[in-house]
Amino acid sequence: MKTRRSFLKISAAGAVGAMALGPMACTSAAVDKKSFGVGLQLYTIRDAIANDLQGSLKKVSDLGYRNLEMASYADGKFYGMAPKEFRKLVEDLGMKIVSSHTSVEAEGITAASAQKLADAHAEIGVEFCVQPWIEEKDRNVETYKRMIADWNKVGEIMKNVGIQFGYHNHNFEFLPTDGIVPYYDVFMKEMDADLITMELDCYWATKAGQDPVEMFNKYPGRFRLLHFKDMSKEVAEPFYTVDKDDITAVGAGLIDYKRIYDARETAGLKYFFVEDDNQGNGFPFEGIQTSIDNLTGKILV
């Protein structure tokens, strides 16, 4: 009986311990990362996709990513696939395509080509289509103004099919030019806010000496999309060349993403995407795993 009583006491203590520790442990182990709605810009894994599209997307889904932003559109196809075909591939893996990076070159775009662009994106079902880049030769105030006039037209065509056009920055837009700062004095002023939203890349803005939260406060509601990537080196002064050697996983660097995320309502945020231009320096999936672990474990909670 003594042995049995001792056993029962030990069992009861174990049960109490399980009740005390179990829920915490289970909660940690059973977190549904997809419920956080973390997105990934597929440019981050471009080499892996080139070698194995379906296998790479499955890895992304298995890591807990929910939303995708594409980075491959050409002649009505995405990643070489018809819109509905690529959309089915993604949705069968438990993810959703919400945005696409597609360049409208400085030379301009015709109404017909803009309509084809819009129709293909409407067919795949994105909510946003984003201009991601400006060539170095076109980085001057005159060309910026001409491009933005074209983007406003594209934005109107996109709006007619239910898509919001957008612009994704780097750091060169903040370089003082001809006595002005183009991002604030040209882009924000001349873009039709109803037709073009800003996709703020928080890393590149920080490199240029900008504070994303201050930007949200100055232009509330203008930032419906954000790019999250971190920087490992402190910027002593604004840096305007596209040098990205210090990119690191979200939460592994110096940018306070919790502060940025906490200001999401002011920003007007709808979606954010993890991005690593350097593809994790050869380890893209390890990098995006660290990012989503940090986001769902300490930044978004």
Side-chain angles (χ1 to χ4, degrees):
M1 288 296 295
K2 182 177 181 181
T3 302
R4 178 173 172 78
R5 287 195 189 98
S6 299
F7 172 77
L8 290 173
K9 287 180 181 178
I10 292 170
S11 298
V16 170
M19 285 188 289
L21 298 177
M24 186 180 296
C26 290
T27 300
S28 176
V31 167
D32 178 10
K33 291 181 180 177
K34 276 193 169 62
S35 68
F36 288 88
V38 181
L40 180 70
Q41 164 51 255
L42 292 180
Y43 185 70
T44 304
I45 57 167
R46 55 195 178 276
D47 289 350
I49 283 176
N51 291 324
D52 180 5
L53 175 61
Q54 185 165 354
S56 298
L57 292 176
K58 185 178 186 307
K59 287 181 181 179
V60 171
S61 179
D62 289 346
L63 287 173
Y65 285 88
R66 176 71 181 94
N67 299 317
L68 298 182
E69 183 172 62
M70 302 177 294
S72 175
Y73 167 81
D75 197 26
K77 294 186 176 182
F78 300 89
Y79 296 93
M81 301 172 68
K84 289 181 180 177
E85 185 182 4
F86 185 69
R87 177 178 176 176
K88 183 178 187 305
L89 171 61
V90 168
E91 291 181 351
D92 284 351
L93 291 169
M95 296 183 292
K96 179 182 178 183
I97 303 167
V98 298
S99 184
S100 172
H101 274 196
T102 306
S103 286
V104 176
E105 301 302 334
E107 291 74 16
I109 187 170
T110 66
S113 57
Q115 190 63 58
K116 180 176 180 179
L117 177 72
D119 290 343
H121 281 82
E123 186 175 357
I124 205 167
V126 296
E127 296 178 45
F128 296 89
C129 183
V130 180
Q131 171 77 21
W133 175 252
I134 297 175
E135 297 292 339
E136 187 170 359
K137 64 183 176 62
D138 299 315
R139 295 173 196 168
N140 58 79
V141 172
E142 181 181 348
T143 305
Y144 287 155
K145 289 183 176 182
R146 179 160 47 84
M147 293 185 77
I148 290 169
D150 279 343
W151 298 341
N152 283 332
K153 294 174 185 175
V154 173
E156 188 170 6
I157 292 171
M158 288 281 179
K159 185 177 181 180
N160 290 336
V161 297
I163 296 172
Q164 171 86 68
F165 200 50
Y167 180 76
H168 166 272
N169 66 280
H170 287 75
N171 54 347
F172 54 79
E173 299 92 339
F174 299 97
L175 174 66
T177 305
D178 297 337
I180 64 171
V181 177
Y183 190 88
Y184 297 117
D185 298 319
V186 180
F187 287 76
M188 297 303 290
K189 284 186 177 180
E190 301 206 9
M191 286 180 178
D192 186 325
D194 185 49
L195 301 175
I196 304 176
T197 190
M198 308 308 283
E199 178 174 60
L200 185 70
D201 189 302
C202 298
Y203 166 90
W204 287 118
T206 302
K207 291 276 277 191
Q210 307 301 308
D211 181 338
V213 175
E214 289 182 5
M215 295 174 72
F216 302 160
N217 291 333
K218 186 175 182 180
Y219 299 99
R222 294 285 298 270
F223 303 91
R224 301 191 72 193
L225 305 173
L226 297 178
H227 269 195
F228 284 9
K229 53 176 169 273
D230 223 327
M231 52 189 279
S232 60
K233 300 175 185 176
E234 189 169 353
V235 178
E237 58 185 44
F239 194 88
Y240 302 113
T241 58
V242 185
D243 182 348
K244 54 189 180 181
D245 291 343
D246 64 337
I247 291 175
T248 190
V250 179
L254 303 173
I255 298 176
D256 188 351
Y257 275 106
K258 188 166 185 61
R259 173 174 171 265
I260 291 171
Y261 184 72
D262 286 347
R264 61 191 178 276
E265 290 188 12
T266 302
L269 180 66
K270 188 166 186 182
Y271 298 106
F272 66 91
F273 304 96
V274 169
E275 184 186 39
D276 185 338
D277 304 26
N278 291 340
Q279 302 187 84
N281 292 312
F283 300 94
F285 293 102
E286 289 86 341
I288 64 175
Q289 178 172 355
T290 299
S291 289
I292 196 167
D293 286 349
N294 287 338
L295 281 163
T296 57
K298 60 184 181 181
I299 294 173
L300 305 180
V301 294

